[in-house]
Amino acid sequence: MRTARVAGAVLVIVAMALAVGHAQSRGMGRVTGTVVDESGAPIADVAIKTTTSAGTVLECKSEADGKWTLGGIGRGEWILSFTKAGFSTKRIKAIVEREIERAVPIKITLAKGA
């Protein structure tokens, strides 16, 4: 009888932990790519952001060669925002199907603008 209670308590704790993890939508996945301007030149210091279902902002910046990687993402659909002064903001939908697979790079082109 005692073993059944302990097993039941462990199951409740595990279920609660899984529910919290899912609600945060954080994970081991990542989205990666390159940001370029309309001529194909890389753009450095572009802010790439998304928000989890729990309201946590995940962000990174593109490097000098325009490459970026946004990690800590769980499975599901994500809206990514790309912003830099002098360029129009761009939003895209990225889908993470499996967290452990290598991410397919996404090429983002930003237009000159506000």
Side-chain angles (χ1 to χ4, degrees), residues 31-112:
V31 182
T32 186
T34 305
V35 184
V36 297
D37 65 16
E38 294 169 307
S39 71
I43 307 173
D45 296 321
V46 174
I48 299 101
K49 296 182 182 182
T50 192
T51 305
T52 69
S53 59
T56 302
V57 176
L58 304 175
E59 60 187 314
C60 69
K61 287 200 174 208
S62 62
E63 298 187 14
D65 59 2
K67 292 183 180 179
W68 56 272
T69 298
L70 186 60
I73 294 180
R75 290 184 303 168
E77 292 184 1
W78 296 86
I79 301 299
L80 304 179
S81 173
F82 297 80
T83 56
K84 179 170 173 92
F87 292 88
S88 296
T89 296
K90 186 166 193 172
R91 289 180 179 78
I92 66 160
K93 182 186 341 179
I95 299 173
V96 176
E97 292 180 355
R98 295 192 177 123
E99 294 181 33
I100 59 173
E101 288 185 357
R102 184 175 180 167
V104 176
I106 302 168
K107 186 174 184 180
I108 302 297
T109 301
L110 293 184
K112 298 266 184 185

